[in-house]
Each structure stands twice: as structure tokens, then as C-alpha cells.
Amino acid sequence: MTLYRTQARLLELLILLIPLSAKSAGTIEVLDTIAGLSTEVRIQGIKPQASYTGELQGPSGPYTFSCAGDNTGQAHCALPGSRLVRAGMYTVSLKSEGASATFQVLPDRIDPQTSSIVSDASADGADTRVTVTLMDQYGNPLSGRPVELLSSQAGDIVHPLTDQT
């Protein structure tokens, strides 16, 4: 029985060590956002009252930010909208903790100043191709948006080449 108890104690000690090493690695959560709007980075499982340096990687390039843990080992950091103007996937990481998270920045609403409608008419006037490009204020394309073109002339027939922009 003594050998069994010694092995059981050793196993208990090993099990206790596993959560301690895993607890030092924080977890990160970032909500998706829209181009130009800020978002919040939520970090849990970090050392209370400690300062951390985070890194944002995405289409807009790298950005470094600072965060400090509160008394409970959590931190809330804001990523400025000025760093989130390009639509796409972004990654936030705390290298000191080995933690990272990805989030998506979606395009903003249609901006008439950056969007365009281009018409290419044939020489005989029989066929006209119209190309609609929808963009947000930051130059992000708004793909997948349905567009319907209506002619002001009764005899015209409009055939879409694609259903979406």
C-alpha cells in the first residue's frame, strides 16, 4: 500500500502543476467591427495589476498597444478605429502570454463619393455595358451586394451579367 500511496501523491503533485503553468497564459477575445469603428480587446487570465504590450496585425499594418490587468487578472483595451479602416481579418496577440485572437473588420456603408457607375456603349448604340462598383468611405469594396439597374426607356432589356457587385 505504501508504494501505491507514494505514486498517488506524485500524481496529485503533477496534476497540481499543470494548471499553474496553463494559468499563466491569458486568453484574448475581440469582437468583429466595421471599418473605422473601434473595438474592444478583452483579456483574461493574466497577472493582476501587470502591464502588457499587445500587437495588432492586419491589412492596415502592425500596431502596438498597451494594456494593464485589473485586480482580477482581466484587462479591457480599446483598439482605435483609425487603425481599423481596411476590411479584412486581423490578429491581436500578447506575445508574453502566448495568446492570440482573430477578428474581422467589415466594410462600412456605401459611400457615393468613392462608388462608381461606368457605362460602355457600343458604336451603334445597341449594346451598353454598365459596371457598378460599390465602395465604402475607406475604399473597401462592398462585394456581394445586389444591384438592380432600371432603364428609363420602355424598349430596353436589362440582363445582369452577375447578380452581385
Side-chain angles (χ1 to χ4, degrees), residues 126-132 147-163:
D127 291 331
T128 302
R129 175 177 276 190
V130 178
T131 303
V132 178
V147 174
E148 183 178 4
L149 299 176
L150 302 173
S151 176
S152 61
Q153 299 192 13
D156 287 349
I157 301 172
V158 178
H159 295 285
L161 296 176
T162 62
D163 291 335

Side-chain angles (χ1 to χ4, degrees), residues 2 10-11 14 16 18 20 28-30 54 59 61 63 66 75 77 87 110-113 135-136 149-150 161:
T2 308
L10 184 58
L11 184 60
L14 289 175
L16 288 175
I18 292 171
L20 291 176
I28 301 176
E29 179 185 0
V30 185
Y63 172 68
S66 298
C77 317
I110 296 170
D111 181 21
Q113 300 299 320
M135 308 281 269
D136 71 5
L149 299 176
L150 302 173
L161 296 176

Side-chain angles (χ1 to χ4, degrees), residues 36-37 56 58-64 79-86 90 105:
L37 297 180
L56 172 69
S60 298
Y63 172 68
T64 302
L79 293 176
S82 61
R83 293 292 180 172
L84 305 171
V85 295
R86 287 274 152 242
Y90 287 74
V105 173

Side-chain angles (χ1 to χ4, degrees), residues 108-117 133-138 142:
D108 194 10
R109 65 183 179 272
I110 296 170
D111 181 21
Q113 300 299 320
T114 57
S115 298
S116 64
I117 299 175
T133 305
L134 302 177
M135 308 281 269
D136 71 5
Q137 64 179 325
Y138 304 106
L142 291 147

Side-chain angles (χ1 to χ4, degrees), residues 9-61:
R9 289 277 188 210
L10 184 58
L11 184 60
E12 286 176 0
L13 287 172
L14 289 175
I15 289 173
L16 288 175
L17 290 177
I18 292 171
L20 291 176
S21 62
K23 192 173 184 179
S24 67
T27 59
I28 301 176
E29 179 185 0
V30 185
L31 299 176
D32 292 345
T33 189
I34 295 173
L37 297 180
S38 65
T39 191
E40 182 180 50
V41 177
R42 297 180 199 156
I43 307 167
Q44 296 180 340
I46 56 176
K47 295 176 190 167
Q49 302 297 323
S51 295
Y52 293 91
T53 300
E55 184 174 271
L56 172 69
Q57 289 287 338
S60 298

